[in-house]
Amino acid sequence: MASTTTSQKPITTSDSKPEDPQQKPTAALEEDDEFEDFPVDDWEAEETEAAAGGTGTNTQHLWEESWDDDDTSDDFSNQLKEELKKVEAARKR
Amino acid sequence: MEFGNHLYREFEEAWEANNGYRLAATINPDLSAAQLGKIHQSIDPDSGNWKASQEDNVKGSIKRGLQSTSIRTRGFDNDEIKGWTDVYFAYWTVTGTLARARAQGPSSQVSLQLLWTEVFEQWKKFVNALVQGYNNYGFEAWTIPCLYVAGKYLRLFAMQADDERSKNPSENDSANAFQDDFDPETDKHQKLEDCARVLNRVFSVCLNDRAPLEESRKWGIYFIINLLFKTYFKLNSPSLSKNVLRILTAGRGDMPDFYSFPRSQQVTFKYHEGVLNFLEENYAEAEKHLTEAWGLCHKDAIRNKELILTYLVPCRLITTHTLPTEKLLEPYPRLQRLFLPLCRCIKKGELHAFDLALQEGEDEFVKRRIYLTLERGRDIALRNLLRKVFIAGGFMPAAEGEKPVRRTRIPVAEFAAAISLGSQERLDNDEVECLLANMIYKGLMKGYISREQGKVVLSKSGAFPGTGV
Amino acid sequence: MMPTWPAAPPAPGVTPSNTYTTTYSAAPAFTPVPVRQSFAQPYGNPTSSRSPTTTNHSDQADDQSKKKIDWPESVRQYVQRSFLPANLEPTISRPEMEAKLKETITHATERGIMFALDWDTMPLPQELILEDRARMAAVSISLPSHGGSPNSASKKRKSGDLTDRAKLASPPPWRAGQGARLEDRVTYTNKDKRPTVDEPADNTSKLNKYEKRQKRFNGGYTSTYRSPSPPPCDGPVVGTCQDLEKRYLRLTAPPKASAVRPPSVLRQTLELLKKKWKKDQNYSYICDQFKSMRQDLTVQRVRDEFTVEVYEIHARIALEKGDLGEYNQCQTQLKALYKLGLKGKPNEFKAYRILYFIHTANRTELNNALADLTAAEKKDEAIKHALDVRSALALGNYHRFFQLYNETPNMGAYLMDMFVGRERLAALCNVCKAYKPDVPLRFVTEELYFETDIEAAQFIIDHNGQELLQEKEGTIMFLTGKAGQTFESAKKQAFSRVDIKGQI
């Protein structure tokens, strides 16, 4: 469907107007939280983040597991072992 | 563009090329005070028939100008002439006020005339004239970029007007504070709310076009929806945004395919749709939309990518228990500050440090409405802590030829010790059990608690699902 | 029968929906609360902040709004009947009728009783209007200002007055065959193991509070609903009425000065009402009187610390009686008044707001409330308590939640009563999944803060858990291992009414 209509659609790539400097006072109204207007209307697939950062779904280097097995030299794990020994000792008494 | 031959020729050429953007340039308000002043003065309201009203004179002048174009013979009919006359008249009106408003400059905080309010009201009339054009005077779909300009500035002027009013409180405002149910919160965004109503009409104009898709105003739908989203977000009314989505979904049957709209509109839409779901705690849905927005986003749109991640990171914490890598956050120092400390604590199972990090970033998190989501990261931190206890417990002696199995019967007291260490507070055993029960209930830990024995009996096959043990 | 109050009486045999629950309830009620929408609907409605519509605007309340598509047939017919030529009243204009209709229907929607009311016998709007007018005419005769009950006494809704103490104080029925001797065996559990509670292990104080709350009557009382705002006046009226007590009447026209009490009189009224409340505990009367006071303050544009005091007291009384609708109105006003810088107890009420949003699971407002807090406010005892409640629930820490419930400052416990039921269900689900094969019933009683083992058992039974209670060597055990999904659907239901994703 997309292919038949793209040639017909009235929208063409163009640049929208830059933000009027007079509008800047509105930035004080938390406008920095707003999703920004893109400087261009449209772009090719090559320019997307998916293309740039690897495919959209294969983001293995971007996300990682929430657990960590790197225990052994960890300060915290040693403390834990100490604390656990204390508990074990207390139980045996 | 000043009123005169130049303008009418431009109109003609835009018409012939069906170039909506070119046409939209003729009603652009994004000009300096001087330029606007010139436009306003390019029609002399007092010229012409002394019997006619100023309005008549101006309209008459515009009408004649439009009539003089050569496209009269090519389908530019009387109805449209009337419609565009009204539109240009409304535009002409606002140029005068806008020139004065811009000229007064930001330094004059105290504005006796509330010029921006006037600008907003007049621009509103302009928008309505356009809407009328589509509804009643047969404006064609290719002219839609005019609606974009109209909508975009309606919103900006509304915010400007609200801002101006907040700096110039008047007696009228306090008169409203008279009813038993006055809420000062409502007044703060008066004009923006008004704007939302008008944008909704524009939305209808786009949605309810029965022309065949190639010529339909439906092509404007996402631009307008995005404006509505931004407006409702600022008004802190996510449920109204939901309404819009509902209406859109209901009408989706005969809409152009989403992916054939410009990418800028797709990304903006998906972002907002994602955040809306996020706010409702539909994290799975939110992740879908936000991920898509991310993937489609222009790679150089740093700020927008940052915004997407602001919600995507907490989302994934909940849906897949995954954390952003340092690589992912590399281009975003703000996000690094926001998220990395928490992530470190989660990974290491450091409860107290987690609490501190959460508190440290609380204001920022709350502001962005991600606090409640991130808070739940504590469950993951706790899970990791308990997992460490399990691993530290080592293996049980294995029978001949059998693979050693980890110790699965763990005294509650051991978990309690770990939690006390981790959270730096002494919890009583019942509270510890409660936390353990939670882990089990949420599927983060598999096993059961034997109250009688004061032990947790973990599953031999995957005590901590998804973590390799 | 012409109803005394604008609210329509429920159909015979149908109790109006509970506006609140006691501390445990078989069917924890969702109170449909008229949270004021921040601004009018996008389509059609005028901007005017003078006649806001009262709509249900919690996150999920779209379905409860007054859209016509949701009205039952009986309501539609009621509307149609109102406009039948034969029923039209020449002295009543169409706008008046429409306003009255809107009011009546909105009220029913807000109270969640639209389907419970008998619309076929509901007085038509014109009848209600005529009755109002008659009363307005009557009120110009002054009521006795001191002592005795006002004339309205005889017209009070009797059902609202019943405090069926005897009925509530007795233990709930125990099903036959389930070990009737449990009652003998129940001892009051002294929660002395709780380390952090600052109360001395003083059963009496806790009991009293609990008992007091238990003794709230169930149903019966229906609060008067919000009036539409009086039309704008040119300037504030300066009242001259000297009557201390005055019935509340909706204004359909600017009031006469002689009908409005000046602040000096109102101060005396407040003192009188405080005494009367203590003595009689007659909520419908008190609520009515307070609304009348509020109205007098509003039309005279009095916005000072006295106004704050009036709203605060009314809010607290409403809370105690579980009248969330009235409480909410007061709360909204208080927020605005505090914002003007007026002194009062903003922290106390901020804490209530937080608890309230927890109850309604209004994520947006909760987020807003959090964003609104200063560092100093977060340290305030009441606010901190509310925040701790929130975070305990967010992480499923029911143990901590019930401890906090036990220590709630001010009147917050009445708010928490609203959602204790569902949180108990959630906790029970946790316990059932995590503990095997069983736990002592006593454990449930203590963890979930039931007053007695019987109460805990009753709760379990009320949710189809009777098979899960078994005696073992002299102790009642709760067989979690066999529970399966027993409590899950009840929990889902309890939470779905406020659309929580079952967070616990």
Short mmCIF file of all heavy atoms in Angstrom, two decimals, chain B residues 236-282:
data_model
loop_
_atom_site.label_atom_id
_atom_site.label_comp_id
_atom_site.label_asym_id
_atom_site.label_seq_id
_atom_site.Cartn_x
_atom_site.Cartn_y
_atom_site.Cartn_z
N ASN B 236 -0.22 18.04 31.16
CA ASN B 236 -0.21 16.93 32.12
C ASN B 236 -1.50 16.12 32.08
O ASN B 236 -2.04 15.74 33.11
CB ASN B 236 -0.01 17.50 33.53
CG ASN B 236 0.79 16.56 34.39
OD1 ASN B 236 1.14 15.47 33.97
ND2 ASN B 236 1.07 16.99 35.60
N SER B 237 -2.01 15.93 30.89
CA SER B 237 -3.26 15.17 30.75
C SER B 237 -3.06 13.98 29.84
O SER B 237 -3.51 13.96 28.69
CB SER B 237 -4.35 16.03 30.13
OG SER B 237 -4.60 17.14 30.92
N PRO B 238 -2.39 12.97 30.35
CA PRO B 238 -2.16 11.81 29.48
C PRO B 238 -3.44 11.14 29.03
O PRO B 238 -3.50 10.57 27.94
CB PRO B 238 -1.32 10.87 30.35
CG PRO B 238 -1.42 11.38 31.73
CD PRO B 238 -1.78 12.81 31.67
N SER B 239 -4.49 11.24 29.84
CA SER B 239 -5.71 10.53 29.43
C SER B 239 -6.34 11.15 28.19
O SER B 239 -6.97 10.47 27.39
CB SER B 239 -6.71 10.49 30.57
OG SER B 239 -7.09 11.80 30.91
N LEU B 240 -6.15 12.45 28.02
CA LEU B 240 -6.69 13.07 26.82
C LEU B 240 -5.92 12.62 25.59
O LEU B 240 -6.48 12.46 24.51
CB LEU B 240 -6.66 14.59 26.94
CG LEU B 240 -7.67 15.10 27.96
CD1 LEU B 240 -7.48 16.58 28.21
CD2 LEU B 240 -9.08 14.85 27.46
N SER B 241 -4.64 12.39 25.80
CA SER B 241 -3.88 11.85 24.68
C SER B 241 -4.40 10.47 24.32
O SER B 241 -4.48 10.10 23.15
CB SER B 241 -2.40 11.74 25.05
OG SER B 241 -1.84 13.01 25.25
N LYS B 242 -4.76 9.73 25.35
CA LYS B 242 -5.30 8.40 25.09
C LYS B 242 -6.55 8.46 24.24
O LYS B 242 -6.78 7.62 23.39
CB LYS B 242 -5.62 7.71 26.41
CG LYS B 242 -4.49 6.84 26.92
CD LYS B 242 -4.83 6.24 28.27
CE LYS B 242 -6.01 5.29 28.20
NZ LYS B 242 -6.41 4.83 29.55
N ASN B 243 -7.36 9.47 24.52
CA ASN B 243 -8.58 9.64 23.73
C ASN B 243 -8.26 9.77 22.26
O ASN B 243 -8.90 9.18 21.40
CB ASN B 243 -9.33 10.90 24.17
CG ASN B 243 -10.13 10.66 25.42
OD1 ASN B 243 -10.27 9.53 25.86
ND2 ASN B 243 -10.65 11.73 25.98
N VAL B 244 -7.25 10.59 22.02
CA VAL B 244 -6.85 10.81 20.63
C VAL B 244 -6.43 9.50 19.99
O VAL B 244 -6.83 9.18 18.87
CB VAL B 244 -5.69 11.83 20.56
CG1 VAL B 244 -5.13 11.90 19.17
CG2 VAL B 244 -6.16 13.19 21.01
N LEU B 245 -5.67 8.72 20.74
CA LEU B 245 -5.22 7.44 20.21
C LEU B 245 -6.40 6.54 19.89
O LEU B 245 -6.42 5.84 18.88
CB LEU B 245 -4.32 6.74 21.22
CG LEU B 245 -2.86 7.15 21.23
CD1 LEU B 245 -2.11 6.39 22.32
CD2 LEU B 245 -2.23 6.88 19.89
N ARG B 246 -7.35 6.58 20.79
CA ARG B 246 -8.53 5.74 20.59
C ARG B 246 -9.25 6.10 19.31
O ARG B 246 -9.63 5.25 18.52
CB ARG B 246 -9.47 5.93 21.78
CG ARG B 246 -9.83 4.64 22.44
CD ARG B 246 -10.70 4.88 23.63
NE ARG B 246 -9.96 4.84 24.86
CZ ARG B 246 -10.18 5.65 25.88
NH1 ARG B 246 -11.11 6.56 25.81
NH2 ARG B 246 -9.47 5.56 26.97
N ILE B 247 -9.42 7.41 19.13
CA ILE B 247 -10.13 7.86 17.94
C ILE B 247 -9.36 7.48 16.70
O ILE B 247 -9.91 7.06 15.67
CB ILE B 247 -10.34 9.39 17.99
CG1 ILE B 247 -11.22 9.74 19.19
CG2 ILE B 247 -10.96 9.90 16.70
CD1 ILE B 247 -11.36 11.22 19.42
N LEU B 248 -8.05 7.60 16.80
CA LEU B 248 -7.22 7.27 15.66
C LEU B 248 -7.33 5.78 15.32
O LEU B 248 -7.50 5.41 14.17
CB LEU B 248 -5.76 7.60 15.98
CG LEU B 248 -4.75 7.24 14.90
CD1 LEU B 248 -4.93 8.13 13.70
CD2 LEU B 248 -3.33 7.38 15.44
N THR B 249 -7.25 4.97 16.36
CA THR B 249 -7.33 3.53 16.12
C THR B 249 -8.67 3.15 15.53
O THR B 249 -8.76 2.29 14.66
CB THR B 249 -7.13 2.76 17.44
OG1 THR B 249 -6.10 3.39 18.19
CG2 THR B 249 -6.74 1.33 17.16
N ALA B 250 -9.71 3.81 16.00
CA ALA B 250 -11.04 3.51 15.48
C ALA B 250 -11.12 3.82 14.00
O ALA B 250 -11.77 3.11 13.23
CB ALA B 250 -12.09 4.30 16.25
N GLY B 251 -10.44 4.88 13.59
CA GLY B 251 -10.54 5.27 12.19
C GLY B 251 -9.44 4.71 11.32
O GLY B 251 -9.30 5.06 10.17
N ARG B 252 -8.66 3.82 11.91
CA ARG B 252 -7.46 3.41 11.17
C ARG B 252 -7.74 2.66 9.88
O ARG B 252 -6.90 2.57 9.02
CB ARG B 252 -6.57 2.55 12.09
CG ARG B 252 -5.14 2.58 11.68
CD ARG B 252 -4.24 2.16 12.81
NE ARG B 252 -3.54 3.31 13.35
CZ ARG B 252 -2.59 3.23 14.29
NH1 ARG B 252 -2.30 2.09 14.81
NH2 ARG B 252 -1.99 4.29 14.72
N GLY B 253 -8.91 2.09 9.80
CA GLY B 253 -9.24 1.27 8.64
C GLY B 253 -8.84 1.89 7.31
O GLY B 253 -8.14 1.30 6.50
N ASP B 254 -9.26 3.12 7.10
CA ASP B 254 -8.97 3.68 5.80
C ASP B 254 -7.97 4.82 5.89
O ASP B 254 -8.18 5.90 5.38
CB ASP B 254 -10.27 4.16 5.13
CG ASP B 254 -11.09 4.99 6.12
OD1 ASP B 254 -10.72 5.05 7.32
OD2 ASP B 254 -12.10 5.57 5.70
N MET B 255 -6.93 4.55 6.59
CA MET B 255 -5.86 5.53 6.73
C MET B 255 -4.67 5.11 5.89
O MET B 255 -4.47 3.93 5.65
CB MET B 255 -5.41 5.58 8.19
CG MET B 255 -6.44 6.15 9.11
SD MET B 255 -6.37 7.91 9.03
CE MET B 255 -4.94 8.17 10.02
N PRO B 256 -3.88 6.08 5.51
CA PRO B 256 -2.65 5.68 4.82
C PRO B 256 -1.78 4.90 5.81
O PRO B 256 -1.87 5.10 7.02
CB PRO B 256 -1.99 7.01 4.46
CG PRO B 256 -3.01 8.06 4.67
CD PRO B 256 -4.01 7.55 5.62
N ASP B 257 -0.96 4.05 5.28
CA ASP B 257 -0.10 3.25 6.13
C ASP B 257 0.84 4.13 6.95
O ASP B 257 1.44 5.08 6.44
CB ASP B 257 0.71 2.31 5.24
CG ASP B 257 1.68 1.48 6.06
OD1 ASP B 257 1.25 0.90 7.06
OD2 ASP B 257 2.87 1.45 5.68
N PHE B 258 0.96 3.80 8.19
CA PHE B 258 1.78 4.61 9.12
C PHE B 258 3.18 4.85 8.58
O PHE B 258 3.73 5.94 8.67
CB PHE B 258 1.84 3.91 10.47
CG PHE B 258 2.71 4.59 11.48
CD1 PHE B 258 2.28 5.75 12.12
CD2 PHE B 258 3.96 4.08 11.79
CE1 PHE B 258 3.09 6.39 13.05
CE2 PHE B 258 4.77 4.70 12.73
CZ PHE B 258 4.33 5.86 13.36
N TYR B 259 3.75 3.82 8.01
CA TYR B 259 5.16 3.92 7.63
C TYR B 259 5.37 4.71 6.35
O TYR B 259 6.50 4.88 5.91
CB TYR B 259 5.78 2.52 7.54
CG TYR B 259 5.77 1.85 8.88
CD1 TYR B 259 4.80 0.91 9.22
CD2 TYR B 259 6.69 2.22 9.86
CE1 TYR B 259 4.77 0.34 10.48
CE2 TYR B 259 6.66 1.65 11.12
CZ TYR B 259 5.69 0.71 11.42
OH TYR B 259 5.66 0.17 12.67
N SER B 260 4.27 5.18 5.76
CA SER B 260 4.46 6.01 4.59
C SER B 260 4.45 7.49 4.92
O SER B 260 4.64 8.33 4.06
CB SER B 260 3.41 5.68 3.53
OG SER B 260 2.14 5.59 4.12
N PHE B 261 4.24 7.77 6.17
CA PHE B 261 4.35 9.17 6.60
C PHE B 261 5.83 9.50 6.80
O PHE B 261 6.65 8.61 6.95
CB PHE B 261 3.60 9.37 7.92
CG PHE B 261 2.10 9.43 7.76
CD1 PHE B 261 1.35 8.27 7.66
CD2 PHE B 261 1.45 10.66 7.68
CE1 PHE B 261 -0.02 8.33 7.48
CE2 PHE B 261 0.07 10.73 7.52
CZ PHE B 261 -0.66 9.56 7.42
N PRO B 262 6.16 10.77 6.81
CA PRO B 262 7.56 11.14 6.99
C PRO B 262 8.10 10.59 8.31
O PRO B 262 7.38 10.53 9.31
CB PRO B 262 7.54 12.67 7.03
CG PRO B 262 6.24 13.09 6.50
CD PRO B 262 5.29 11.95 6.65
N ARG B 263 9.35 10.21 8.29
CA ARG B 263 9.94 9.61 9.48
C ARG B 263 9.87 10.53 10.71
O ARG B 263 9.71 10.06 11.82
CB ARG B 263 11.39 9.19 9.22
CG ARG B 263 11.47 7.94 8.38
CD ARG B 263 12.78 7.19 8.60
NE ARG B 263 12.66 5.82 8.13
CZ ARG B 263 12.97 5.40 6.90
NH1 ARG B 263 13.41 6.28 6.01
NH2 ARG B 263 12.82 4.13 6.55
N SER B 264 10.00 11.81 10.49
CA SER B 264 9.95 12.71 11.64
C SER B 264 8.62 12.55 12.38
O SER B 264 8.58 12.57 13.61
CB SER B 264 10.12 14.16 11.20
OG SER B 264 9.06 14.54 10.34
N GLN B 265 7.57 12.36 11.62
CA GLN B 265 6.27 12.21 12.25
C GLN B 265 6.14 10.84 12.91
O GLN B 265 5.55 10.71 13.98
CB GLN B 265 5.16 12.41 11.22
CG GLN B 265 5.11 13.86 10.73
CD GLN B 265 4.05 14.06 9.66
OE1 GLN B 265 3.11 13.29 9.55
NE2 GLN B 265 4.19 15.11 8.87
N GLN B 266 6.71 9.83 12.26
CA GLN B 266 6.66 8.49 12.84
C GLN B 266 7.36 8.44 14.19
O GLN B 266 6.85 7.92 15.16
CB GLN B 266 7.33 7.47 11.91
CG GLN B 266 6.61 7.18 10.62
CD GLN B 266 7.39 6.17 9.78
OE1 GLN B 266 8.02 5.27 10.31
NE2 GLN B 266 7.34 6.33 8.47
N VAL B 267 8.55 8.99 14.20
CA VAL B 267 9.35 8.93 15.42
C VAL B 267 8.67 9.70 16.55
O VAL B 267 8.56 9.22 17.68
CB VAL B 267 10.77 9.49 15.18
CG1 VAL B 267 11.54 9.56 16.49
CG2 VAL B 267 11.51 8.61 14.19
N THR B 268 8.21 10.91 16.22
CA THR B 268 7.54 11.72 17.24
C THR B 268 6.32 10.99 17.78
O THR B 268 6.06 10.97 18.98
CB THR B 268 7.14 13.08 16.66
OG1 THR B 268 8.27 13.68 16.03
CG2 THR B 268 6.61 14.00 17.72
N PHE B 269 5.57 10.40 16.87
CA PHE B 269 4.37 9.70 17.30
C PHE B 269 4.72 8.51 18.19
O PHE B 269 4.13 8.34 19.26
CB PHE B 269 3.60 9.22 16.07
CG PHE B 269 2.33 8.50 16.41
CD1 PHE B 269 1.19 9.21 16.73
CD2 PHE B 269 2.30 7.11 16.44
CE1 PHE B 269 0.02 8.54 17.07
CE2 PHE B 269 1.13 6.44 16.76
CZ PHE B 269 -0.01 7.15 17.08
N LYS B 270 5.65 7.73 17.74
CA LYS B 270 6.01 6.53 18.50
C LYS B 270 6.56 6.90 19.88
O LYS B 270 6.30 6.21 20.87
CB LYS B 270 7.07 5.71 17.73
CG LYS B 270 6.49 4.87 16.63
CD LYS B 270 5.76 3.67 17.19
CE LYS B 270 4.82 3.06 16.18
NZ LYS B 270 3.90 2.08 16.78
N TYR B 271 7.34 7.95 19.92
CA TYR B 271 7.86 8.40 21.22
C TYR B 271 6.72 8.67 22.19
O TYR B 271 6.69 8.18 23.31
CB TYR B 271 8.72 9.65 21.04
CG TYR B 271 9.02 10.36 22.35
CD1 TYR B 271 10.00 9.89 23.21
CD2 TYR B 271 8.31 11.51 22.72
CE1 TYR B 271 10.26 10.54 24.42
CE2 TYR B 271 8.57 12.15 23.91
CZ TYR B 271 9.55 11.67 24.76
OH TYR B 271 9.80 12.31 25.96
N HIS B 272 5.76 9.46 21.72
CA HIS B 272 4.67 9.82 22.61
C HIS B 272 3.80 8.63 22.96
O HIS B 272 3.36 8.49 24.11
CB HIS B 272 3.82 10.94 22.00
CG HIS B 272 4.49 12.26 22.03
ND1 HIS B 272 5.18 12.78 20.97
CD2 HIS B 272 4.60 13.18 23.02
CE1 HIS B 272 5.68 13.96 21.30
NE2 HIS B 272 5.36 14.22 22.54
N GLU B 273 3.58 7.80 22.00
CA GLU B 273 2.78 6.61 22.27
C GLU B 273 3.49 5.76 23.33
O GLU B 273 2.87 5.22 24.24
CB GLU B 273 2.60 5.81 20.98
CG GLU B 273 1.45 4.82 21.06
CD GLU B 273 1.24 4.03 19.78
OE1 GLU B 273 2.12 4.05 18.91
OE2 GLU B 273 0.18 3.39 19.66
N GLY B 274 4.80 5.66 23.17
CA GLY B 274 5.59 4.91 24.14
C GLY B 274 5.50 5.50 25.53
O GLY B 274 5.25 4.79 26.51
N VAL B 275 5.68 6.79 25.62
CA VAL B 275 5.65 7.43 26.94
C VAL B 275 4.27 7.31 27.57
O VAL B 275 4.13 7.08 28.77
CB VAL B 275 6.08 8.90 26.86
CG1 VAL B 275 5.94 9.58 28.21
CG2 VAL B 275 7.52 9.00 26.38
N LEU B 276 3.24 7.42 26.76
CA LEU B 276 1.89 7.27 27.28
C LEU B 276 1.69 5.90 27.92
O LEU B 276 1.13 5.77 29.01
CB LEU B 276 0.86 7.46 26.17
CG LEU B 276 0.51 8.89 25.85
CD1 LEU B 276 -0.35 8.96 24.60
CD2 LEU B 276 -0.23 9.55 27.01
N ASN B 277 2.14 4.89 27.21
CA ASN B 277 2.03 3.54 27.76
C ASN B 277 2.88 3.40 29.01
O ASN B 277 2.48 2.76 29.98
CB ASN B 277 2.46 2.50 26.72
CG ASN B 277 1.33 2.13 25.79
OD1 ASN B 277 0.39 1.45 26.19
ND2 ASN B 277 1.38 2.62 24.57
N PHE B 278 4.02 4.03 28.98
CA PHE B 278 4.91 4.00 30.14
C PHE B 278 4.22 4.57 31.36
O PHE B 278 4.26 3.99 32.45
CB PHE B 278 6.17 4.80 29.80
CG PHE B 278 7.18 4.82 30.90
CD1 PHE B 278 8.20 3.88 30.94
CD2 PHE B 278 7.14 5.78 31.91
CE1 PHE B 278 9.15 3.90 31.96
CE2 PHE B 278 8.07 5.81 32.92
CZ PHE B 278 9.08 4.86 32.95
N LEU B 279 3.57 5.70 31.16
CA LEU B 279 2.91 6.36 32.29
C LEU B 279 1.79 5.50 32.86
O LEU B 279 1.43 5.62 34.02
CB LEU B 279 2.37 7.73 31.88
CG LEU B 279 3.44 8.76 31.53
CD1 LEU B 279 2.80 10.04 30.99
CD2 LEU B 279 4.29 9.10 32.75
N GLU B 280 1.23 4.66 32.02
CA GLU B 280 0.19 3.76 32.48
C GLU B 280 0.74 2.45 32.99
O GLU B 280 0.00 1.53 33.30
CB GLU B 280 -0.72 3.40 31.29
CG GLU B 280 -1.34 4.57 30.64
CD GLU B 280 -2.81 4.54 30.86
OE1 GLU B 280 -3.45 3.63 30.32
OE2 GLU B 280 -3.31 5.40 31.60
N GLU B 281 2.05 2.35 32.99
CA GLU B 281 2.73 1.13 33.42
C GLU B 281 2.49 -0.05 32.49
O GLU B 281 2.61 -1.20 32.91
CB GLU B 281 2.35 0.77 34.86
CG GLU B 281 2.78 1.89 35.82
CD GLU B 281 2.50 1.59 37.26
OE1 GLU B 281 1.69 0.70 37.55
OE2 GLU B 281 3.10 2.27 38.11
N ASN B 282 2.14 0.22 31.25
CA ASN B 282 2.11 -0.85 30.25
C ASN B 282 3.50 -0.97 29.66
O ASN B 282 3.77 -0.52 28.54
CB ASN B 282 1.13 -0.50 29.12
CG ASN B 282 -0.28 -0.35 29.63
OD1 ASN B 282 -0.68 -0.98 30.59
ND2 ASN B 282 -1.04 0.50 28.98
#
